[in-house]
Amino acid sequence: MTKRGDAQSRDSRKIKRIKPLLAVAALGTATAALAQMSVPAGLTLGSMSRVSPVLKAVRTHENFEPALAFPEQARAAAAKLAALRRHTGRAPNILILVVDDLGYGDVGAYGGGEALGAPTPHIDRLAREGLKLTSTYSQPSCTPTRAALNTGRLPVRSGLLKPSLLNDTADISSELLASKLLSQGGYVTGLSGKWHLGEKEGSRPWQVGFDEFEGFLGVVNAYQEEHPSQPDAAGDPELLEELRSMPGSRDLWRATKAGGGRSLGKINWENSRDLDQKFADFSEDFIRRAAKQGKPFYLSHNFSKVHYFNHPSQRFVGRSATKDVYRDSVIEVDDIVGRLTRLLEELKIADNTLVFFTSDNGPEEDSYPETGVTPFRGAKGTTLEGGVRVPGIFWWPGMIKGGRVSDGLFDMTDMFNTSLGLAGIDPSQVVPTDRYIDGIDQTSFLLADNGQSDREAVFFYNADMFVGARWRYYKMVVSEVQVGSGNVRDMGGLDNAQTIIPTNGFMYNLYTDPKERRSEMIAKAWAPSYALGPLLAVHGASLRKYPPKVFIRVR
Ligand code: CA
């Protein structure tokens, strides 16, 4: 890269001719780096500016993702945290609220809510009084996102690539979860609701770091064969009985790390109606008990809604303007967000609790009309923005300045580092050096009044296929997965036909072209040449140095 750059500056007359070549060369180098791990040695060390002058992130540890350095905002955030610690005498609580398959556009604060007949006043309030992010990135589906959030590692590194099904072999037991490190660091840790990171013995929430768990291990529609829309099983008691006797946990579990797990009964279509109310009860009880004990808590609250088949609790039936189960369920989710945040205020611990609200992927459009809304192209199951750009709201009265909105990049993996950072745990001291952490501590972004994101780039994968990266508002993709066909092109989900479009590289400007329709790869050749290409090369080098658990497909 450097040699080509020098050649370019020596002869500006060649710029027009050289630029497209640079773009293709950068892309070729980057994809080769990923496919063959053939990047020159030494690229993994030091700051990104050594690789390209436009890249600014600094790597402090070889097995940690480089982060942007903003010394002033880091000092401001550290001072705020220290003052709080002096006042409360303990580390802050962390409450993570993950809705299943909620669309970016479903929430009022993101343009939905009232406009879609399903107001979300409680979630909107968090956005209004906190920090609303417009570029929070999940993975294309449930399991990989939850793996990223819990481990700080991209799914190709943890091996959890696809949604696990009933009796699946998904296994997170060899990974190190934030909950385990926080539990060891004096936190009480809890998981409420959906797990979806493995049913196997050794891979269950109470076996990998959560002190307490109430919820289910898979995905709600796996337990709903007698849903009215499925007459094959619903109308055939014998088949239903056979299905129910197959291996796979259909249980509603209650578990503690010390005492193990026990089933509170089997989940079915009928009783799935009240699951989210039960999870809210459990979370309320967990928070009350932690507050009483005077211990900091880390609670991951994972809704079963608004994944299909939605079965709104009785009190919410018909509450939306359209009287449909999806929007009624959005209202139920919003109500529970209100319950949990109100409780923090009642207990007078809101000022010592970071709340993060998000969704685990874009809307599942296969189940239309029981589906969410996104203003972007694509849906769940793709790395088009519609599949991976999700709501992301941070609320922490007194600590996060209200009314902030930022387009700074936030990746789900960042919750791992940020949670540990808030707890005063240095991940480089506790994570074994044999594994790479893709997350970045975003504490200073969240807490400094005008904080900027500490993340320079987001990398996209669709299961085991490398897709591309976003840097600033440029997104480069080396292969694109599209869903749907005919008049529902770009709509879909995991059940729909997927088409892989191999390309010489597309690059979208997400500000002028948020729907990713017009590539500017050649027209803006400097971005892939000096930023995205080198970023991919360094990312490839991290994979060479720390081999992922799966073979990565590139184009
Ligand atoms: Ca999901």
Side-chain angles (χ1 to χ4, degrees):
M1 285 305 304
T2 310
K3 279 184 182 162
R4 287 195 186 100
D6 290 343
Q8 186 185 5
S9 62
R10 277 200 303 273
D11 189 352
S12 58
R13 287 168 300 176
K14 287 185 180 169
I15 286 177
K16 274 192 181 153
R17 189 166 62 81
I18 288 173
K19 268 190 173 177
L21 293 175
L22 277 174
V24 174
L27 186 61
T29 308
T31 52
L34 284 157
Q36 299 156 18
M37 310 292 171
S38 61
V39 202
L43 267 184
T44 61
L45 291 169
S47 68
M48 296 295 288
S49 61
R50 281 180 53 194
V51 184
S52 165
V54 299
L55 300 177
K56 312 287 185 200
V58 177
R59 191 189 295 279
T60 52
H61 294 85
E62 183 133 329
N63 62 324
F64 280 75
E65 188 73 357
L68 295 169
F70 300 110
E72 203 172 308
Q73 79 178 39
R75 273 194 296 275
K80 263 190 182 178
L81 270 178
L84 181 74
R85 191 87 179 232
R86 279 195 299 274
H87 175 64
T88 62
R90 58 174 182 265
N93 309 307
I94 298 160
L95 173 60
I96 301 173
L97 304 167
V98 184
V99 191
D100 201 352
D101 291 7
L102 183 75
Y104 181 100
D106 284 333
V107 178
Y110 290 84
E114 183 71 28
L116 302 176
T120 53
H122 301 101
I123 304 167
D124 300 347
R125 177 201 165 198
L126 303 188
R128 200 170 54 244
E129 296 180 359
L131 169 60
K132 180 176 85 169
L133 301 182
T134 50
S135 285
T136 301
Y137 283 95
S138 70
Q139 297 294 320
S141 64
C142 316
T143 298
T145 293
R146 291 160 198 272
L149 196 153
N150 278 281
T151 65
R153 280 150 58 78
L154 288 171
V156 287
R157 301 198 202 265
S158 63
L160 288 144
L161 299 176
K162 294 175 179 175
S164 66
L165 302 174
L166 265 174
N167 200 34
D168 213 324
T169 52
D171 189 349
I172 200 167
S173 60
S174 62
E175 290 293 309
L176 185 57
L177 279 69
S179 51
K180 184 165 192 172
L181 294 168
L182 289 165
S183 179
Q184 289 167 354
Y187 273 65
V188 284
T189 57
L191 191 118
S192 183
K194 179 178 179 173
W195 172 236
H196 218 182
L197 287 172
E199 290 183 19
K200 274 177 70 172
E201 193 63 42
S203 200
R204 299 170 180 178
W206 62 95
Q207 297 165 334
V208 291
F210 288 97
D211 298 326
E212 295 187 34
F213 170 60
E214 181 171 314
F216 54 86
L217 300 177
V219 55
V220 75
N221 71 291
Y223 317 132
Q224 296 172 318
E225 283 103 347
E226 75 283 49
H227 183 273
S229 73
Q230 306 197 79
D232 42 359
D236 186 341
E238 207 173 320
L239 173 61
L240 196 58
E241 188 55 38
E242 282 174 338
L243 296 174
R244 292 268 155 84
S245 66
M246 298 285 178
S249 167
R250 298 163 172 278
D251 304 271
L252 174 63
W253 290 90
R254 170 72 69 85
T256 62
K257 189 191 285 171
R262 68 187 167 93
S263 173
L264 300 178
K266 302 287 180 190
I267 299 172
N268 57 37
W269 160 244
E270 192 51 39
N271 64 26
S272 65
R273 175 202 326 242
D274 293 316
L275 281 177
D276 279 301
Q277 295 300 320
K278 281 186 198 300
F279 301 150
D281 293 344
F282 172 78
S283 286
E284 282 190 338
D285 182 55
F286 178 91
I287 292 169
R288 279 183 201 283
R289 284 185 287 111
K292 210 170 174 180
Q293 284 175 35
K295 279 188 162 185
F297 68 79
Y298 171 83
L299 175 61
S300 182
H301 182 97
N302 299 267
F303 293 86
S304 82
K305 295 183 172 73
V306 285
H307 195 291
Y308 74 94
F309 298 104
N310 282 285
H311 200 174
S313 191
Q314 194 58 48
R315 195 156 64 84
F316 297 92
V317 173
R319 286 274 292 273
S320 65
T322 41
K323 318 293 179 201
D324 68 289
V325 293
Y326 184 85
R327 267 144 282 269
D328 287 352
S329 298
V330 168
I331 292 175
E332 181 174 353
V333 164
D334 180 71
D335 185 78
I336 291 171
V337 171
R339 269 176 70 180
L340 297 178
T341 46
R342 252 195 325 272
L343 177 64
L344 298 175
E345 291 174 309
E346 281 167 26
L347 296 172
K348 302 196 187 319
I349 55 171
D351 61 353
N352 197 29
T353 306
L354 172 76
V355 177
F356 175 46
F357 173 88
T358 195
S359 173
D360 68 339
N361 48 250
E364 165 64 71
E365 292 184 334
D366 285 335
S367 47
Y368 183 86
E370 192 177 334
T371 176
V373 168
T374 176
F376 304 112
R377 183 176 158 210
K380 176 179 175 180
T382 77
T383 50
L384 291 161
E385 295 290 294
V388 292
R389 191 133 42 132
V390 291
I393 301 170
F394 285 93
W395 182 75
W396 192 351
M399 289 294 282
I400 292 178
K401 189 179 160 192
R404 284 176 65 205
V405 182
S406 172
D407 193 45
L409 300 178
F410 190 91
D411 188 271
M412 284 299 168
T413 53
D414 297 342
M415 272 316 284
F416 175 86
N417 305 59
T418 306
S419 301
L420 295 177
L422 289 175
I425 299 170
D426 177 355
S428 70
Q429 299 297 308
V430 288
V431 172
T433 53
D434 66 348
R435 64 194 66 197
Y436 191 87
I437 298 292
D438 299 278
I440 285 170
D441 186 343
Q442 296 269 28
T443 303
S444 76
F445 175 32
L446 306 182
L447 298 189
D449 285 354
N450 298 304
Q452 299 177 57
S453 171
D454 298 283
R455 173 170 284 282
E456 188 158 51
V458 168
F459 297 98
F460 302 101
Y461 285 84
N462 197 317
D464 59 349
M465 188 172 70
F466 179 76
V467 174
R470 174 175 169 180
W471 168 78
R472 298 188 183 169
Y473 47 82
Y474 295 106
K475 177 176 178 179
M476 184 168 83
V477 298
V478 294
S479 53
E480 194 168 84
V481 177
Q482 296 181 354
V483 287
S485 58
N487 67 354
V488 289
R489 196 167 179 79
D490 289 339
M491 289 186 71
L494 293 176
D495 247 342
N496 216 316
Q498 295 206 339
T499 314
I500 297 170
I501 313 285
T503 81
N504 287 326
F506 292 149
M507 191 184 73
Y508 303 111
N509 177 332
L510 293 175
Y511 283 179
T512 58
D513 179 25
K515 290 186 189 291
E516 299 168 86
R517 289 187 290 209
R518 235 185 109 87
S519 176
E520 297 183 73
M521 184 76 169
I522 304 302
K524 292 246 173 33
W526 60 269
S529 298
Y530 296 128
L532 287 152
L535 277 165
L536 263 59
V538 174
H539 183 64
S542 82
L543 293 161
R544 184 186 59 173
K545 174 94 186 181
Y546 301 93
K549 285 188 181 165
V550 295
F551 182 81
I552 296 171
R553 287 187 294 148
V554 183
R555 281 200 282 185

